[in-house]
């Protein structure tokens, strides 16, 4: 019997999700025995024309990581949707926008201006921006047009499953791959590679014992000054665990780092920032509005803190001027 065909594609991403896929270690041999990888630009020199030549739905499962930032990303999203029976938004970038989605706080013009004219690594005085078409002695070179904002995969095509994480942890990747190989995936539209409830439910730290008068920035705190048993939020270290979907095993709080939120909003939470505002208010040790304002003002970058991974996929999705 023919092996099921898999594809793994990266759009606007860092490539870490591909590395995470390879992190399944010796299970990669089981995967290779059970499936045929037909398209994966990170590992294979397959051309887009090879994918275009495939029959519709010829690929059984595509793991698509990365957001949609330019015309090439958009073309591949539509192409792989058409060629795949099952399309999985793989990782935080595809599911909710992730770090590349924070660029939605500025404009396309400002991004290009900074990267090519104002960045410290650019020769002073440079005025040249990338051109969509450039004639050379060897023919015309083209670049895909950048879009005004980054969109999630689900904002441009129909997605069958959403697998959060930046990147998803290896046990969850293998569990989803096994479910896909055995045809035991849950109903269409489900989140996959997650556990029930929130990061707090997987976190071994004790909650509800302390209140704080100040928030501390993690890089300014010595690990010796962090109690290993007590909730980080209750020690004044911001942690998004109360609003974030379980699935990683609370990796970050176990090593003294607050959850940044890469597994996305937990079930029933429509707005991470609103949920976290409540969680943070519950640990502030004051009834005085002015003092509370002062404590909250210690959170220097609220958008980057609470919407670091899901700005593009959130209700607003971008800066509104
Ligand atoms: S989800 Fe994280 S690891 Fe995966 S591509 Fe995006 S930034 Fe990289
Ligand atoms: S807020 Fe963070 S540190 Fe506290 S219990 Fe939840 S996940 Fe653990
Ligand atoms: S603890 Fe939070 S930021 Fe860390 S891996 Fe888990 S979901 Fe992601």
């Amino acid at each position: 019997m023919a092996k099921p065909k898999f594809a793994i594609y990266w759009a606007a991403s860092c490539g870490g999700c591909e590395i995470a896929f390879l992190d399944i270690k010796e299970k990669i041999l089981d995967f290779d025995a059970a499936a045929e990888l037909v398209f994966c630009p990170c590992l294979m020199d397959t051309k887009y024309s090879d994918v275009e030549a495939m029959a519709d739905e010829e690929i059984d499962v595509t793991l698509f990581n990365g957001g949609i930032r330019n015309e090439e990303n958009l073309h591949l999203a539509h192409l792989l949707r058409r060629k795949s029976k099952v399309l999985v938004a793989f990782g935080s970038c595809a599911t909710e926008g992730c770090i590349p989605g924070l660029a939605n706080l500025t404009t396309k013009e400002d991004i290009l201006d900074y990267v090519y004219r104002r960045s410290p690594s650019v020769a002073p005085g440079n005025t040249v921006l990338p051109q969509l078409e450039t004639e050379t002695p060897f023919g015309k070179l083209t670049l895909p047009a950048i879009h005004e904002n980054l969109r999630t995969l689900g904002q441009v095509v129909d997605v069958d499953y959403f697998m959060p994480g930046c990147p998803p942890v290896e046990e969850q990747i293998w569990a989803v791959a096994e479910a896909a190989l055995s045809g035991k995936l849950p109903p269409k539209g489900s989140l996959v590679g997650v556990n029930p409830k929130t990061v707090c439910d997987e976190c071994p730290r004790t909650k509800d014992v302390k209140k704080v008068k100040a928030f501390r920035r993690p890089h300014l705190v010595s690990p010796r000054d962090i109690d290993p048993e007590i909730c980080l939020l209750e020690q004044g270290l911001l942690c998004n665990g109360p609003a974030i979907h379980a699935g990683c095993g609370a990796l970050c709080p176990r090593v003294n780092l607050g959850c940044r939120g890469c597994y996305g909003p937990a079930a029933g939470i429509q707005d991470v920032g609103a949920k976290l505002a409540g969680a943070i208010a519950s640990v502030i040790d004051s009834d005085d509005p002015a003092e509370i304002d002062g404590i909250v003002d210690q959170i220097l970058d609220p958008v980057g803190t609470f919407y670091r991974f899901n700005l593009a996929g959130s209700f607003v999705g971008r800066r509104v001027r």
Side-chain angles (χ1 to χ4, degrees):
M1 201 175 93
K3 295 178 185 177
K5 293 180 179 174
F6 266 66
I8 307 177
Y9 179 69
W10 51 14
S13 80
C14 79
C17 282
E18 269 91 351
I19 305 303
F21 190 85
L22 296 177
D23 246 2
I24 62 175
K25 306 190 179 74
E26 68 278 1
K27 293 278 192 316
I28 203 85
L29 300 175
D30 298 336
F31 176 79
D32 184 54
E36 182 188 358
L37 194 58
V38 294
F39 180 56
C40 180
C42 176
L43 298 173
M44 306 158 58
D45 187 22
T46 325
K47 306 298 184 200
Y48 292 171
S49 56
D50 298 326
V51 181
E52 281 155 5
M54 292 177 186
D56 285 359
E57 299 197 359
E58 184 172 329
I59 302 170
D60 291 283
V61 180
T62 290
L63 302 180
F64 189 109
N65 82 72
I68 309 303
R69 179 79 245 195
N70 65 29
E71 281 301 299
E72 181 185 30
N73 303 154
L74 186 63
H75 171 65
L76 265 290
H78 283 289
L79 179 64
L80 287 166
R81 173 63 283 180
R82 203 165 71 245
K83 301 296 178 184
S84 309
K85 289 190 188 74
V86 173
L87 181 66
V88 182
F90 177 49
S92 176
C93 283
T95 303
E96 52 181 359
C98 198
I99 305 299
L102 287 176
N104 289 3
L105 291 171
T106 185
T107 63
K108 174 180 75 172
E109 287 71 26
D110 200 46
I111 293 169
L112 291 171
D113 190 53
Y114 181 79
V115 171
Y116 293 98
R117 292 180 176 144
R118 291 185 278 127
S119 156
S121 61
V122 173
N126 177 54
T127 58
V128 178
L129 293 181
Q131 304 300 305
L132 296 186
E133 296 185 351
T134 306
E135 293 294 345
T136 78
F138 313 103
K140 187 159 68 181
L141 300 179
T142 61
L143 285 174
I146 187 170
H147 295 169
E148 189 58 43
N149 287 299
L150 181 134
R151 286 175 290 172
T152 69
L153 183 62
Q155 287 169 343
V156 301
V157 293
D158 184 36
V159 173
D160 297 305
Y161 298 101
F162 300 86
M163 184 173 185
C166 176
V169 295
E170 64 190 72
E171 299 82 16
Q172 300 284 15
I173 292 175
W174 179 241
V176 170
E178 267 190 317
L181 286 167
S182 59
K184 291 182 181 160
L185 284 164
K188 179 180 159 86
S190 298
L191 272 185
V192 291
V194 293
N195 298 335
K197 301 190 179 175
T198 68
V199 174
C200 284
D201 293 294
E202 294 188 322
C203 178
R205 291 174 178 268
T206 307
K207 284 189 84 172
D208 291 323
V209 292
K210 286 184 180 168
K211 302 259 181 190
V212 298
K213 285 278 187 194
F215 287 111
R216 303 182 288 168
R217 303 190 73 196
H219 62 289
L220 300 178
V221 180
S222 164
R224 283 191 294 276
D225 295 334
I226 300 175
D227 187 319
E229 310 288 337
I230 304 295
C231 168
L232 294 168
L233 204 47
E234 295 175 2
Q235 298 183 63
L237 290 158
L238 288 172
C239 180
N240 291 3
I244 299 303
H245 218 301
C248 68
L251 278 179
C252 301
R254 288 178 192 274
V255 293
N256 280 351
L257 197 61
C259 168
R260 279 89 30 84
C262 79
Y263 262 69
I269 293 177
Q270 293 188 317
D271 187 280
V272 170
K275 174 70 181 175
L276 287 170
I280 283 165
S282 74
V283 299
I284 292 179
D285 184 15
S286 176
D287 293 325
D288 173 25
E291 188 181 22
I292 292 172
D293 281 351
I295 296 171
V296 170
D297 282 347
Q298 293 163 2
I299 303 171
L300 295 184
D301 176 13
V303 175
T305 302
F306 302 138
Y307 297 94
R308 181 175 301 173
F309 294 92
N310 91 328
L311 178 68
S314 68
F315 277 139
V316 179
R318 61 193 165 84
R319 179 183 288 264
V320 179
R321 291 170 195 278

